[in-house]
Amino acid sequence: MNLILDGLYDQHVKYLNSKGAERVISDFADENPNCTKDLYSITNIIKTSAICRFTYRECYNKIREKFTHEIIPNSIIVAVVKITHRPNRRNIYKEAAAYKYQVSDNMVTDEMIEKIKDVNFDSYSINEPPVENWDEYFYNICVQVARHSKCLSRRIGAILVNDKRIIAAGYNGPASGIVRCDRRWEIDPVFTEKYKDKIIINKYINDPSFEHLKNMCPRRAVGAKSGEYLDMCLAVHAEENAILMCARSTTEAKDTTMYMTCGIPCKLCMNKIIQVGIKEIVVTTLTVYDDSSLYLLENSSVKIRLFDFIK
């Protein structure tokens, strides 16, 4: 794109050749020896601009932020920019291959590029019948959210919806950066000392590494019944994570509807649902986790209903 900056480009057409940039710098440096260092700083800005894919005008503005007209005349900057600035053209196949194979761009091979060009994932056509209503649509999304859960007991998904628009999603699992609970036997000596004698799964195996408890919920390892040993669980519930997502993004949870792949939330989640002003919850069953959550729901203005496709 041949931009003419401040009408000065024509003055330097004579420099448009293979050694044009060197000619401009050389001529100006001969007459202004004190500015040679500044000129080479300008060329470094131009190289960086090319890597960042700046336009000519953006590159010119970056230089002008650093160098005033008094330091380097405008005509010189225009000439150097026009001659040396060559924005790098993107290679989308190389970018995609670098991401696919987790390597840097310069490590991408022709074979990698050919492999991703041959990928034919048919996502243009969905064979399943269309969803019949919004409830089914939001339920399906909740299920996909739940699939990302790392919980070893059960996986739950929840979304917050405002005017048929999803504003937040959450699944149950440990807080960001916290290792999964089955590793706790190995890394938390206080936890291990407190509960090791209560383990009923493979209790008589002499395994100090607790290898046999990997991929197992610690509460199940000790045979906990519903409502027992809740202090062993560090998971953030799906409903909580959806609400917390709103808090992190400053999105308003008030007057939204929460869809979830579970029954009536526990008392801790129910308190948060009431407190942030969620107007309605949509659940898969009317079973209650504890009596306190039922009490909270009955004494609040939060509406509750089953997904309308559930018979």
Side-chain angles (χ1 to χ4, degrees):
M1 182 173 166
N2 188 24
L3 291 177
I4 298 177
L5 304 176
D6 299 329
L8 294 171
Y9 173 65
D10 291 338
Q11 298 178 27
H12 297 276
V13 171
K14 62 181 179 179
Y15 293 120
L16 284 175
N17 53 59
S18 59
K19 295 186 178 297
E22 292 82 352
R23 175 83 180 276
V24 170
I25 292 174
S26 177
D27 288 354
F28 186 77
D30 289 343
E31 298 178 10
N32 305 273
N34 295 332
C35 292
T36 305
K37 182 179 178 181
D38 293 331
L39 279 169
Y40 283 103
S41 293
I42 289 173
T43 60
N44 286 332
I45 293 175
I46 293 171
K47 291 176 183 177
T48 304
S49 297
I51 293 172
C52 296
R53 302 190 184 96
F54 290 160
T55 63
Y56 288 116
R57 171 61 68 177
E58 289 172 327
C59 179
Y60 169 82
N61 289 338
K62 286 291 181 184
I63 294 172
R64 269 288 163 243
E65 289 175 7
K66 184 173 179 61
F67 300 99
T68 64
H69 290 76
E70 290 76 21
I71 296 176
I72 303 290
N74 206 56
S75 57
I76 299 298
I77 290 180
V78 171
V80 175
V81 171
K82 292 298 296 183
I83 293 165
T84 62
H85 180 54
R86 297 289 184 270
N88 291 344
R89 184 176 178 181
R90 293 178 62 187
N91 184 329
I92 61 169
Y93 298 110
K94 180 176 282 191
E95 288 181 24
Y99 184 83
K100 173 71 174 177
Y101 298 107
Q102 294 295 292
V103 297
S104 60
D105 285 359
N106 59 3
M107 293 180 67
V108 173
T109 63
D110 292 340
E111 183 181 3
M112 292 177 181
I113 292 176
E114 289 306 314
K115 280 185 178 179
I116 65 169
K117 283 184 177 181
D118 288 340
V119 172
N120 185 24
F121 183 74
D122 186 12
S123 59
Y124 291 102
S125 178
I126 302 299
N127 296 322
E128 290 81 3
V131 294
E132 296 184 358
N133 52 47
W134 284 105
D135 266 20
E136 186 179 355
Y137 171 76
F138 290 131
Y139 172 79
N140 289 338
I141 294 174
C142 283
V143 170
Q144 295 307 311
V145 171
R147 289 180 64 190
H148 201 56
S149 169
K150 305 302 184 294
C151 181
L152 296 168
S153 177
R154 57 178 179 168
R155 296 186 290 175
I156 296 172
I159 60 174
L160 280 170
V161 175
N162 186 3
D163 193 25
K164 296 184 176 62
R165 181 173 59 91
I166 299 170
I167 64 170
Y171 52 86
N172 60 320
S176 300
I178 305 300
V179 298
R180 205 171 61 175
C181 54
D182 59 334
R183 291 277 318 280
R184 220 174 154 187
W185 300 107
E186 307 168 40
I187 63 176
D188 186 351
V190 175
F191 176 85
T192 303
E193 185 63 29
K194 184 177 180 179
Y195 293 108
K196 66 179 181 180
D197 293 333
K198 295 181 173 61
I199 297 172
I200 63 171
I201 306 298
N202 295 330
K203 183 176 180 179
Y204 301 104
I205 294 180
N206 185 18
D207 182 6
S209 69
F210 297 98
E211 190 72 23
H212 60 291
L213 298 181
K214 280 190 175 180
N215 301 315
M216 179 179 293
C217 169
R219 290 182 65 231
R220 292 189 176 181
V222 300
K225 297 178 182 179
S226 179
E228 290 183 340
Y229 296 114
L230 295 179
D231 57 322
M232 297 182 74
C233 180
L234 299 180
V236 183
H237 289 187
E239 304 95 313
E240 291 176 304
N241 268 324
I243 293 170
L244 290 169
M245 180 182 286
C246 284
R248 292 189 65 172
S249 64
T250 67
T251 304
E252 183 64 67
K254 189 174 184 294
D255 294 330
T256 59
T257 296
M258 177 175 280
Y259 296 83
M260 64 197 82
T261 59
C262 62
I264 298 173
C266 70
K267 64 181 177 183
L268 297 177
C269 289
M270 186 59 67
N271 269 324
K272 295 177 178 66
I273 288 169
I274 295 169
Q275 199 72 353
V276 298
I278 293 172
K279 68 178 181 181
E280 180 183 46
I281 58 175
V282 185
V283 297
T284 56
T285 174
L286 294 177
T287 56
V288 181
Y289 193 74
D290 58 51
D291 294 337
S292 293
S293 63
L294 182 60
Y295 169 82
L296 290 169
L297 182 59
E298 289 174 341
N299 286 276
S300 73
S301 61
V302 178
K303 297 178 181 178
I304 182 170
R305 63 180 178 85
L306 292 169
F307 285 91
D308 61 13
F309 64 85
I310 296 177
K311 304 301 182 183

